[in-house]
Amino acid sequence: MEPRVLGSFRAALIAVENHWTWYRRNWRATAVSNFLQPVLMLLAMGLGFGSQVPVGEATGGHPYVVFLAPALLVLSAAQSAMFESTYAVLSSFKWQKTFFGVVSTPVTPAQVLYGQLLWIALRLAAGTAVFLGVAAALGAVTSPSAVLAVPFAVLAGMAFSAPVVAFTATREKPDSFNALFRFVLMPMTLFTGAFFPLDQLPAWLHPLAWATPVWHGIELARGAAFGTLGALPALGHVAYLVALVVAGVVLGRHLFHRRLTA
């Protein structure tokens, strides 16, 4: 009898169902980092520190909490993507060896990757949607078009996640993740225009910010929230983020196959 072959979409859904089975019993373990932490940041920086920031040109004529909310939406997606793309993926390779069990079925290494990325995208979508709802309740959302910031934030998070998942497939120890947090995630958090306009930084730092998915996500999210997003700039930002996702998937397919079939 010929071996059974699963379609990639069905295999990805099976992987998502597996993740969901675990998550619905253990969601409290990630509630603080995924949901509560971004809200606390909005309260502290947006309403607390922001009460001392005058409305002006630097904030686009908006109160600081309104200026900050779309950026925090993107930052929370990137931070969640980092955690979901590093330790969780390495655990499935090395400690729990979940991925090896999955590929002993008709699911292929590439389909394991697709399922993992789909699950991360769903987690980011849920987290950013909840955050946007809380931000709206706090008065930090002033336009219905801000709902478009959610898919933009998810896209930015996945543009970060896909290459990191591929990188994680090459790791045997989590030591290098510390460098990612310190020298990639932290600078992206501080120096991509989230808390203050990018033009207040030295000019030589601008190209470094432009290369990050977070900057593109913030530009899209703010443009959507404030109704200032032009079609051509939006297309450029989206194209760049999609290119990063595709590059991560292509590289991840190769690295997952090499590790899971060795």
Side-chain angles (χ1 to χ4, degrees):
M1 185 175 63
E2 294 184 358
R4 185 182 180 187
V5 178
L6 292 177
S8 293
F9 183 69
R10 183 180 179 188
L13 289 181
I14 291 174
V16 168
E17 181 182 13
N18 174 62
H19 286 297
W20 171 245
T21 299
W22 179 91
Y23 183 74
R24 67 184 181 184
R25 299 172 181 171
N26 301 277
W27 62 270
R28 295 173 185 81
T30 60
V32 172
S33 60
N34 287 344
F35 301 107
L36 186 58
Q37 184 174 322
V39 173
L40 292 176
M41 180 67 75
L42 181 64
L43 291 171
M45 296 298 296
L47 296 178
F49 173 77
S51 65
Q52 306 303 309
V53 178
V55 175
E57 183 179 353
T59 61
H62 301 282
Y64 187 73
V65 67
V66 176
F67 172 79
L68 183 62
L72 283 184
L73 193 74
V74 177
L75 289 178
S76 67
Q79 291 167 355
S80 296
M82 171 65 89
F83 285 103
E84 294 295 326
S85 305
T86 50
Y87 293 100
V89 174
L90 183 61
S91 176
S92 294
F93 274 121
K94 186 172 178 63
W95 300 310
Q96 295 181 335
K97 298 188 181 295
T98 308
F99 289 161
F100 290 95
V102 173
V103 296
S104 66
T105 71
V107 178
T108 67
Q111 291 169 341
V112 171
L113 171 66
Y114 301 152
Q116 186 68 35
L117 292 177
L118 178 58
W119 171 248
I120 293 173
L122 292 173
R123 288 285 303 276
L124 298 186
T128 52
V130 170
F131 176 80
L132 183 66
V134 174
L138 293 174
V141 176
T142 58
S143 171
S145 64
V147 70
L148 295 175
V150 170
F152 289 147
V154 173
L155 178 59
M158 294 310 298
F160 185 62
S161 173
V164 173
V165 168
F167 170 75
T168 302
T170 67
R171 301 295 92 189
E172 289 295 335
K173 297 180 180 180
D175 301 356
S176 56
F177 296 157
N178 291 331
L180 281 178
F181 280 94
R182 292 175 183 173
F183 302 117
V184 178
L185 183 62
M186 187 59 67
M188 283 200 308
T189 299
L190 297 176
F191 304 119
T192 52
F195 299 99
F196 49 85
L198 187 63
D199 58 15
Q200 295 187 9
L201 291 174
W204 63 270
L205 278 175
H206 294 183
L208 296 179
W210 297 337
T212 67
V214 167
W215 178 78
H216 292 273
I218 290 173
E219 290 295 299
L220 287 167
R222 277 206 177 116
F226 302 156
T228 58
L229 186 61
L232 190 59
L235 183 61
H237 292 309
V238 170
Y240 182 78
L241 295 175
V242 169
L244 288 178
V245 174
V246 171
V249 170
V250 171
L251 183 60
R253 279 171 56 100
H254 168 71
L255 295 173
F256 267 57
H257 183 272
R258 185 178 70 178
R259 183 155 187 176
L260 294 175
T261 60

